Amino acid sequence: MSEAFDCAKCSESLYGRKYIQTDNGPYCVPCYDNTFANTCAECQQLIGHDSRELFYEDRHFHEGCFRCCRCQRSLADEPFTCQDSELLCNDCYCTAFSSQCSACRETVMPGSRKLEYGGQTWHEHCFLCSSCEQPLGSRSFVPDKGAHYCVPCYENKFAPRCARCSKTLTQGGVTYRDQPWHRECLVCTGCQTPLAGQQFTSRDDDPYCVACFGELFAPKCSSCKRPITGLGEGKYVSFEDRHWHHSCFSCARCSTSLVGQGFVPDGDQVLCQGCSQAGP
């Protein structure tokens, strides 16, 4: 008698039949597939021993079932991405989930270098200064009405220029005669003292501090001999070719203020009417 040669699972004879040898003994093909074959994650059918099996993470697929879930392209020999458990070819993934470059309108591929600003995306090499067209990369830039400028181009194109040195004002500055000035450029024409934040006046469009203006141009008070600038000294009184500070315009004899009062000139002096009538 011949020795028994049966399937380790169903015990049916394997003589004259195709079988598969395992560490646990021989199996007929149906029993082997039912016992050891994986189930396809797509069609839910067993992946037979004679089928090409593909797997991704903990899922197994027939070769024909390993497809892009959108375009059904085979992914057996194609790069792919898994998104929310769905397998996608690169084209479908880029169409569905990748950004479009705001400059060239091409897809910004996953993993490529990109820049994002204001809800828009650019390839790194497409994000250029709107003036010099040099890549902005990680440099500082200034957005303006949909355009983007590197700082030097923006300053040259839009930033105000100092009325004195003609260089751009990047921050701060002061306004004089409706023109912008660097704070350090607005100085007294006479003594070069900085005037920003100080009281000053002008002559022939040139700015002067109060002290220089008084010494150079202001009339002198006939009483105290100090300049009458009209700045900080309050009002003043003029009579013929003479001038007085309000506080200095008083009777030469009794020192009564003559502001708003009648007075009588007496040589280089002025007298109130009472002292004038009293005689010398």
Side-chain angles (χ1 to χ4, degrees), residues 239-240 242 244 264-271:
F239 174 70
E240 296 180 345
R242 290 183 289 172
W244 295 264
V264 177
D266 183 24
D268 292 337
Q269 300 178 336
V270 288
L271 305 174

Side-chain angles (χ1 to χ4, degrees), residues 130-228:
S130 298
S131 181
C132 67
E133 298 187 347
Q134 294 300 306
L136 291 171
S138 59
R139 299 161 59 196
S140 298
F141 67 92
V142 182
D144 185 79
K145 298 178 181 178
H148 305 89
Y149 298 91
C150 63
V151 173
C153 284
Y154 182 82
E155 290 178 353
N156 289 332
K157 194 175 184 69
F158 300 108
R161 292 183 177 274
C162 175
R164 181 178 185 183
C165 69
S166 297
K167 295 181 180 179
T168 57
L169 279 79
T170 56
Q171 60 182 357
V174 294
T175 300
Y176 170 61
R177 292 192 176 276
D178 297 325
Q179 292 181 306
W181 296 62
H182 290 113
R183 295 179 67 88
E184 60 271 22
C185 288
L186 184 62
V187 297
C188 173
T189 306
C191 66
Q192 302 301 304
T193 298
L195 298 177
Q198 306 296 321
Q199 191 176 42
F200 67 94
T201 187
S202 64
R203 184 180 179 88
D204 298 329
D205 293 337
D206 294 325
Y208 289 88
C209 67
V210 174
C212 284
F213 183 84
E215 289 299 323
L216 295 172
F217 308 110
K220 304 300 188 290
C221 177
S222 295
S223 176
C224 70
K225 308 306 179 184
R226 291 186 294 110
I228 301 174

Side-chain angles (χ1 to χ4, degrees), residues 46-105:
L46 291 176
I47 303 173
H49 69 283
D50 55 352
S51 299
R52 183 184 178 191
E53 180 178 348
L54 301 174
F55 67 92
Y56 173 70
E57 294 182 343
D58 59 348
R59 292 182 289 169
H60 299 261
F61 301 84
H62 292 105
E63 181 180 13
C65 293
F66 194 60
R67 303 186 301 267
C68 172
C69 68
R70 300 207 173 194
C71 69
Q72 301 304 307
R73 177 194 301 179
S74 173
L75 300 178
D77 299 305
E78 297 283 341
F80 64 91
T81 302
C82 183
Q83 182 73 25
D84 297 330
S85 298
E86 293 185 333
L87 300 178
L88 298 168
C89 66
N90 271 3
D91 289 343
C92 287
Y93 177 81
C94 290
T95 300
F97 300 103
S98 296
S99 304
Q100 186 182 62
C101 177
S102 296
C104 70
R105 315 312 298 177

